[in-house]
Amino acid sequence: MKSDEIIEKIRSKLKESDPARRTVVNTFQFNFTDADGILIKSMVFDFKALDIYEGSAASADAQVTISDEDFYLVGTKQKSFQEILQQEKAKIDGDEEAINKMLEKFRINSKN
């Protein structure tokens, strides 16, 4: 997947973070699709356990469906997540506020 490098950057930041100082303690399910909307891979971003892994979360706080390409564009700050949402290229089920908090924490919610 094109966005694997973005996921690895998030994983590295997560491992470097101080568990006592973390502000995001949610679990998120990300479903990555190809350009045609076909599921490629599901990833769990588990900020409670400080882990990111391939698979499904039984009790995710929120679920995001986004194309691999669009996640890459957000992760490389070519587009903001808000732009992707406004263009209806991503779907959030669950706690949208928690998703935005996580994106801001990892600075992948803005183009700066």
Side-chain angles (χ1 to χ4, degrees):
M1 270 188 359
K2 189 172 183 178
S3 59
D4 282 342
E5 67 180 87
I6 307 303
I7 294 167
E8 283 308 312
K9 285 180 184 179
I10 296 170
R11 183 180 279 129
S12 293
K13 281 187 174 186
L14 193 58
K15 287 184 179 183
E16 294 167 6
S17 69
D18 180 354
R21 299 186 67 220
R22 62 186 168 165
T23 56
V24 177
V25 291
N26 303 84
T27 301
F28 306 103
Q29 170 85 41
F30 277 78
N31 298 311
F32 296 99
T33 65
D34 64 15
D36 297 321
I38 307 297
L39 182 67
I40 302 171
K41 184 188 286 190
S42 292
M43 300 287 298
V44 176
F45 291 62
D46 187 344
F47 291 91
K48 292 174 190 161
L50 300 174
D51 195 15
I52 297 175
Y53 56 90
E54 189 171 345
S56 299
S59 59
D61 296 295
Q63 191 171 132
V64 177
T65 302
I66 188 169
S67 76
D68 177 40
E69 177 67 23
D70 287 330
F71 189 79
Y72 178 82
L73 293 174
V74 171
T76 56
K77 298 181 178 21
Q78 296 177 57
K79 287 194 173 188
S80 73
F81 190 70
Q82 290 307 318
E83 286 176 296
I84 299 293
L85 283 174
Q86 288 168 355
Q87 295 169 359
E88 297 182 0
K89 292 184 171 184
K91 180 182 173 195
I92 297 176
D93 292 314
D95 191 343
E96 190 168 340
E97 187 176 320
I99 287 284
N100 286 323
K101 187 175 181 181
M102 182 267 298
L103 293 171
E104 286 169 18
K105 176 73 175 169
F106 289 91
R107 292 184 180 88
I108 58 173
N109 200 24
S110 67
K111 291 169 70 174
N112 310 1

